[in-house]
Amino acid sequence: MKTFIPVYLLVFLLGTVVIDLYFPAMMPHANAQESPVHFELPTALGGKAEIPTPKLTSATGFDFTKLPPLPENLKASGRCHAWGLALTGITTPAGELPGGTFLEYPDINATPLNAWYFANGQWNGLTAVPPEKVNFFGGTLDEAEPEHLRLLQRYYFLRGQLDKPQTAAVAAVAPAVNPYLEDYKKISKQYLDFQERSKTLTAQRDAARGTTRDKLITELRLMKQDEPVLAKKLEAIKAQYNDWKAKNPAPAAPAATPNNADSPETLGIRNELKRLEPEVKRVVN
């Protein structure tokens, strides 16, 4: 009995020490909700490895990494302030251009509509393009998000591929023309001309002296007052153009018939277009 008591006390004290040292590490901290959880992955060398970063997607969950790369050397030429893409394959004096071909317009109000087109890693042209088969964006290519450019290129290229097997009867059906297109082009040109005029006068003012400089300052001040009105007018016609475009989508490709069933390739294109279409609408509108 005399030997048992000291041994019991010794075991009790050792057990208390183990509990104090081991169990607090297993218990959650009192402020666990306030402290972020940090994960570390050991490597074969005993170091630390970062947790892999998930793929970047849009807010809608669209995976841009599945899109093909943009054409090599694609960038704004520096000659134009409006650009777009071929909505499908188009016939031009320079030959056939596939859907998704990048275009730059020196004058969107010209008739016929001329465009530089990007092919073989460089800008080519000018060549006349059908305005009803291309779209228009203000600014330059360099101002657009690369993933958006990849998305639009992919979508319109596939639409062009889907249009190839159309019969003559289907191809003869012309798509409806946006009734706001001409006004949109006209007002866009006015706005672009206004900006160019402002740049020119500013350069002349900076180089001028005396009464000539005073006149230029006055003209620029008046233009500054007119600019918000013109910009508001452009935004209004752009909204009408986009609204009509959203409510009148391009006609879908003809449904397959028993005598002309879709090939596996065509079915694959249709499925990919359906996957891309929601994100294309968000980007374009």
Side-chain angles (χ1 to χ4, degrees):
M1 183 66 177
K2 292 180 180 180
T3 304
F4 173 77
I5 292 176
V7 172
Y8 173 82
L9 291 175
L10 178 61
V11 171
F12 175 79
L13 291 174
L14 289 175
T16 303
V17 171
V18 171
I19 291 173
D20 290 340
L21 292 176
Y22 180 72
F23 278 89
M26 298 179 62
M27 299 296 290
H29 194 278
N31 297 323
Q33 295 181 350
E34 299 176 3
S35 301
V37 180
H38 178 69
F39 295 98
E40 295 177 357
L41 302 180
T43 65
L45 300 178
K48 299 177 181 178
E50 297 180 356
I51 297 176
T53 303
K55 293 180 180 179
L56 295 178
T57 61
S58 71
T60 58
F62 185 84
D63 189 354
F64 285 103
T65 63
K66 294 183 178 180
L67 298 172
L70 290 171
E72 187 177 359
N73 299 328
L74 177 67
K75 61 181 179 179
S77 67
R79 293 179 293 222
C80 305
H81 296 281
W83 63 277
L85 299 94
L87 299 176
T88 184
I90 56 176
T91 302
T92 75
E96 295 290 326
L97 299 183
T101 299
F102 287 96
L103 307 168
E104 284 191 342
Y105 311 102
D107 184 356
I108 61 174
N109 204 42
T111 303
L113 177 65
N114 289 313
W116 300 93
Y117 63 95
F118 196 84
N120 300 319
Q122 63 183 6
W123 289 102
N124 304 270
L126 293 164
T127 188
V129 296
E132 71 277 4
K133 292 188 177 182
V134 301
N135 58 5
F136 301 88
F137 297 96
T140 69
L141 274 169
D142 294 341
E143 297 169 355
E145 296 291 337
E147 61 264 32
H148 292 171
L149 297 180
R150 291 167 59 206
L151 174 70
L152 296 178
Q153 179 201 29
R154 170 81 167 165
Y155 182 77
Y156 294 127
F157 173 78
L158 291 176
R159 272 185 42 172
Q161 295 300 302
L162 202 60
D163 288 344
K164 282 184 177 180
Q166 285 185 338
T167 63
V170 174
V173 179
V177 177
N178 193 316
Y180 301 102
L181 175 61
E182 292 303 320
D183 286 342
Y184 186 21
K185 289 166 56 178
K186 180 180 178 180
I187 296 174
S188 295
K189 183 177 185 303
Q190 291 176 357
Y191 187 79
L192 291 174
D193 290 345
F194 183 93
Q195 296 295 327
E196 289 300 319
R197 175 66 176 165
S198 178
K199 291 179 182 178
T200 300
L201 291 179
T202 299
Q204 293 177 354
R205 177 204 63 192
D206 294 342
R209 295 290 183 272
T211 57
T212 301
R213 178 181 173 84
D214 293 338
K215 290 180 180 179
L216 291 170
I217 290 175
T218 301
E219 186 172 354
L220 282 168
R221 186 184 300 115
L222 293 175
M223 289 184 68
K224 199 68 175 178
Q225 296 173 359
D226 294 338
E227 185 175 8
V229 177
L230 185 56
K232 187 175 181 180
K233 189 176 180 181
L234 177 60
E235 284 300 316
I237 191 63
K238 179 181 178 181
Q240 290 177 309
Y241 175 87
N242 286 336
D243 182 64
W244 186 94
K245 190 174 181 180
K247 294 177 179 177
N248 298 271
T257 64
N259 295 328
N260 185 27
D262 282 342
S263 66
E265 180 182 2
T266 300
L267 287 174
I269 291 176
R270 292 188 193 280
N271 291 334
E272 180 67 356
L273 286 172
K274 288 180 181 179
R275 186 183 78 88
L276 299 176
E277 187 171 16
E279 199 71 13
V280 169
K281 288 183 177 179
R282 293 184 185 96
V283 171
V284 173
N285 296 327

